Amino acid sequence: TINNTNSVISDLNIICKYPGYDITNINATRYATAGIYGEKSAKLTITDCTIEGASWGIFLGGRDGKGCHNSILTNNKISNQHTTGILNFGGKQSIIANNSIANAYNHGIDVRFNSGFGVTVFNNTVSGSKEGIFLLHSYGHKVYQNTVLNSKISSITCYGSGNEYIF
C-alpha cells in the first residue's frame, strides 16, 4: 500500500497469482488483492511496471473523496485481473497513458466516483475485457486515441457521468 505524496514507482515486475489462480473463477476471497494499491497520495507516478494477476492491477483511490489526485500512470503492462486493470477511484486531474491492458475480466480502465474532473485517458491499448474503458459517476474527462479490442459489452461505457470528451 502506498500512502505518500510525490512518490515514483517504476520498473517492477509483479506476479499476483496463487496456486490454482483462474481469472474466470471469481469468489469473495479472491476479490481483494491489488498489484499496486495507493490511497490518499497525491502526485504518484507509476511507470514501466508489469503486473500479472490480482483483482486489480493498479488500484488508486478511496471512497472518502481523498483519491490519488494529479497522478500519472504510464507505460505499464497489466494482464489477467479478476476485475480491473487500472482503477482510478477519486483521483482528480490524473493521467492514464500508454498502458497495455489484456484480459482484465470486467474493465480495462475504470475511472469512477468522486474523480471529479480532468482525468485524461489516452494512447492506451485494452483487449479482452467486458468493457474496455469505464467512466462511472464522474465528469469532465478526456478519453482519446485509445485502442480497445475484443470487448464483450462495450469499448467505452459512460454510466452516470457527464461532460465527457471522447474522441
Side-chain angles (χ1 to χ4, degrees), residues 35-156:
I36 296 174
Y37 179 83
E39 68 177 353
K40 301 177 185 176
S41 303
K43 299 179 182 176
L44 291 177
T45 297
I46 301 174
T47 186
D48 295 313
C49 294
T50 299
I51 303 169
E52 184 176 355
S55 297
W56 300 276
I58 299 173
F59 185 120
L60 296 183
R63 292 183 181 213
D64 57 6
K66 296 179 182 176
C68 298
H69 307 304
N70 301 301
S71 293
I72 299 170
L73 288 75
T74 185
N75 298 320
N76 298 292
K77 294 178 182 169
I78 301 169
S79 62
N80 299 317
Q81 280 66 47
H82 279 301
T83 182
T84 301
I86 294 174
L87 175 60
N88 178 355
F89 200 123
K92 298 175 184 175
Q93 297 180 327
S94 293
I95 297 171
I96 302 171
N98 301 313
N99 299 288
S100 173
I101 301 163
N103 302 318
Y105 191 76
N106 286 326
H107 308 126
I109 298 171
D110 186 333
V111 178
R112 64 172 57 207
F113 299 117
N114 300 320
S115 289
F117 63 93
V119 176
T120 301
V121 180
F122 75 97
N123 204 36
N124 299 284
T125 300
V126 178
S127 63
S129 299
K130 285 184 181 178
E131 296 169 290
I133 299 170
F134 188 73
L135 308 174
L136 177 68
H137 298 298
S138 54
Y139 63 92
H141 308 305
K142 295 178 185 172
V143 179
Y144 61 94
Q145 294 179 343
N146 296 285
T147 300
V148 181
L149 305 166
N150 302 318
S151 293
K152 293 158 187 71
I153 296 175
S154 69
S155 294
I156 299 173

